Amino acid sequence: MHGSRSVRNQVGQLDFERPSHTFGAMAKNSHARSRSKGRAEARQRGRRTSARSKKANASPAVTRVAVAPVPSATWSVANVFGWFALTGVVALLLLDGSINALADRLTAPRTQGAAPVVGGVSHVAAADDEPDAYPVGPGASHDPAAVVGGGSASGATLDAALTNPCLDGSDAPCKRAALDAFFANAKAARNKTLGRALRVSFYGDSVVASDLIPSALRQLMWQEFGNGGPGFVYVVPPHRFCSNEAIKRASSGTWHVHAVSTTLVPDRWFGAGNSSAESQNGGATITVKDGPVHKLKLHYVAQPEGGQAVLRTEHGDVGLVDTKATTKAAMAKSFAVPDGFTNVSLAANGNVRVFGVELENETGAVVDNLGVVSVNAKNFAFNQAAHFASQLADRGADLVVVMIGANEAQWLGPGDQDTKDYQARFAALLAPIKTITPNASCMVVSPTDQAYVVGDGYASRPVMPYLIDAQRNAAKAAGCAFFSTYNWMGGKGSAAQWLKKGYIGSDFQHLSRKGASKLADALFRAIITPTRVR
């Protein structure tokens, strides 16, 4: 809001701060010239009739001259550049959502000069008709090695793309690997003995926030285990591009929404979803698109100045959550709705701050979409570590997936100091996540290959192998599995081929629905195939 006021003040100055003498001086001089001219004409013409003489001599005395201000040289040069810069700032604010996201973009180090061409330039043609994804579900092939990345012979098999490190520190045979906890819980969910829905929490940047990848994975998990519901969702999303295709959201009143990559809060409490929303009198409604759910759990902040949150479904009131407390704390309250519901609303009465709400069924599977626009390895760690770890434990995901790096790849070069520090930054963001082990698992998914335009073709960004290695090493140190999307899709130069096939957008960051489905299919096979009984 401060940024908005600053923009309005600048606009006001540009519109109204003209030289104060311009209008008055020019009008005064013009009026004097008119009076002199009138007296000269009167002497030359002589006496006229009384009526015509009065009319002719009166006209110059009442003339008002509207003179446009003469722009100064400063306005034509400096102010034009000022307007240009101001327009750019406003545009970035609208795209990134806050002044913090804008500052992060402006202060991020850039590669000096043009990046070298790695592996030559790829020339692309029109998209082909390759299938969107391979067959999935209980009746599909159980051989993950049969799936080759990107549909290209140059891609790595799933076995080669997935690293599932041994956690017991012993030589083969390994007694406990990174994904073993998830495998065990998935088998229990399949046998209906887990006692709840199988949970996957998917974190990421805008590539994930769009919900194209999580939504495709969610559909596959539902086919395999049953519809467990939408999972953890934001009451009010942290950015307009943060989507969830399993629900429809609406809000009313005033909400102040914060996230690790947009606007920070002093306590740096952002819950399990890296975001919080606060309101004095606002309302929000969530509609579940795919059938009813039977369990509801609200995550909120209890605080001395807390108000009340009233929860309702289409069947009536569910309950009232009093967020007033002597000591500030992150809390959660659960409600069972035996008849099921598809619509739930929250009304704030007084100051209410929430992290999100869980919408689940007793069985099945859920995939949380916890991607936030503009997230990177640095700001992901802005969620206070001890608080984040406690919220992860409360959420109780069986598998936490982290896929970030698309933003960093745009501005980092191989020799940048931030590139050298990248592994340490990534390890810091994984530190709270690794606390979920040994009862749950974590997996890092690398960004895709990224490219830039060179002449009439495209070249792979040279920083990609450095980022991939840093993420792989950090994942291993944290006891997390690692899936190299980069290697699976074909490695260096594969982004151009994916553009050719219609799998990725022209920004080489965001996947098309076709590409997202293909990646989700590969991830599904990597984590689910070992849980099937042969």
Side-chain angles (χ1 to χ4, degrees), residues 230-312:
F232 185 106
V233 301
Y234 302 116
V235 174
V236 181
H239 194 282
R240 67 184 183 280
F241 294 147
C242 293
S243 302
N244 191 310
E245 296 187 350
I247 62 170
K248 180 180 179 181
R249 274 183 293 240
S251 61
S252 60
T254 301
W255 286 90
H256 302 283
V257 185
H258 308 89
V260 292
S261 60
T262 58
T263 306
L264 300 182
V265 285
D267 59 17
R268 291 170 71 164
W269 285 10
F270 295 101
N274 280 334
S275 176
S276 73
E278 193 167 7
S279 182
Q280 291 279 349
N281 59 358
T285 302
I286 300 173
T287 301
V288 180
K289 294 182 179 179
D290 298 286
V293 291
H294 298 79
K295 296 172 64 178
L296 184 155
K297 185 176 182 180
L298 180 68
H299 295 262
Y300 64 95
V301 176
Q303 51 192 333
E305 65 274 21
Q308 296 177 332
V310 181
L311 296 170
R312 297 185 179 91

Side-chain angles (χ1 to χ4, degrees), residues 193-496:
T193 59
L194 185 61
R196 54 171 175 79
L198 182 69
R199 298 170 181 151
V200 176
S201 292
F202 208 132
Y203 291 85
D205 48 32
S206 58
V207 175
V208 173
S210 69
D211 202 42
L212 292 183
I213 301 172
S215 177
L217 181 60
R218 187 180 302 122
Q219 293 297 324
L220 295 173
M221 295 289 284
W222 284 358
Q223 291 176 29
E224 189 80 8
F225 299 97
N227 183 346
F232 185 106
V233 301
Y234 302 116
V235 174
V236 181
H239 194 282
R240 67 184 183 280
F241 294 147
C242 293
S243 302
N244 191 310
E245 296 187 350
I247 62 170
K248 180 180 179 181
R249 274 183 293 240
S251 61
S252 60
T254 301
W255 286 90
H256 302 283
V257 185
H258 308 89
V260 292
S261 60
T262 58
T263 306
L264 300 182
V265 285
D267 59 17
R268 291 170 71 164
W269 285 10
F270 295 101
N274 280 334
S275 176
S276 73
E278 193 167 7
S279 182
Q280 291 279 349
N281 59 358
T285 302
I286 300 173
T287 301
V288 180
K289 294 182 179 179
D290 298 286
V293 291
H294 298 79
K295 296 172 64 178
L296 184 155
K297 185 176 182 180
L298 180 68
H299 295 262
Y300 64 95
V301 176
Q303 51 192 333
E305 65 274 21
Q308 296 177 332
V310 181
L311 296 170
R312 297 185 179 91
T313 70
E314 66 266 35
H315 306 302
D317 289 352
V318 172
L320 183 148
V321 179
D322 190 352
T323 71
K324 186 178 180 62
T326 304
T327 304
K328 183 178 178 180
M331 303 290 289
K333 188 169 183 178
S334 300
F335 300 90
V337 185
D339 294 334
F341 62 94
T342 56
N343 290 278
V344 60
S345 65
L346 181 151
N349 181 14
N351 189 42
V352 173
R353 181 179 170 192
V354 296
F355 297 127
V357 61
E358 296 179 22
L359 305 174
E360 293 186 354
N361 287 314
E362 294 289 347
T363 60
V366 302
V367 177
D368 308 332
N369 177 11
L370 304 178
V372 181
V373 172
S374 295
V375 156
N376 55 49
K378 179 181 178 181
N379 58 33
F380 190 101
F382 286 170
N383 199 344
Q384 203 273 335
H387 162 78
F388 187 33
S390 69
Q391 293 298 290
L392 288 169
D394 197 359
R395 175 61 188 128
D398 300 290
L399 176 65
V400 171
V401 180
V402 179
M403 182 182 182
I404 62 175
N407 290 313
E408 296 95 306
Q410 297 296 303
W411 61 63
L412 291 181
D416 291 349
Q417 185 59 47
D418 276 0
T419 303
K420 298 175 183 178
D421 296 338
Y422 190 74
Q423 181 175 326
R425 289 194 183 279
F426 212 91
L429 78 85
L430 290 178
I433 295 175
K434 73 177 183 179
T435 62
I436 66 173
T437 60
N439 299 319
S441 301
C442 50
M443 181 171 72
V444 174
V445 177
S446 85
T448 62
D449 178 45
Q450 295 193 24
Y452 62 101
V453 177
V454 177
D456 59 349
Y458 306 95
S460 181
R461 292 191 180 276
V463 76
M464 295 311 301
Y466 296 86
L467 299 184
I468 304 305
D469 285 345
Q471 289 189 3
R472 179 186 289 107
N473 294 336
K476 182 178 180 180
C480 298
F482 180 75
F483 184 90
S484 178
T485 310
Y486 176 79
N487 290 342
W488 168 76
M489 66 188 288
K492 182 176 62 178
S494 58

Side-chain angles (χ1 to χ4, degrees), residues 17-28:
E17 287 188 3
R18 311 292 193 193
S20 60
H21 65 275
T22 303
F23 289 101
M26 295 187 69
K28 182 177 180 181

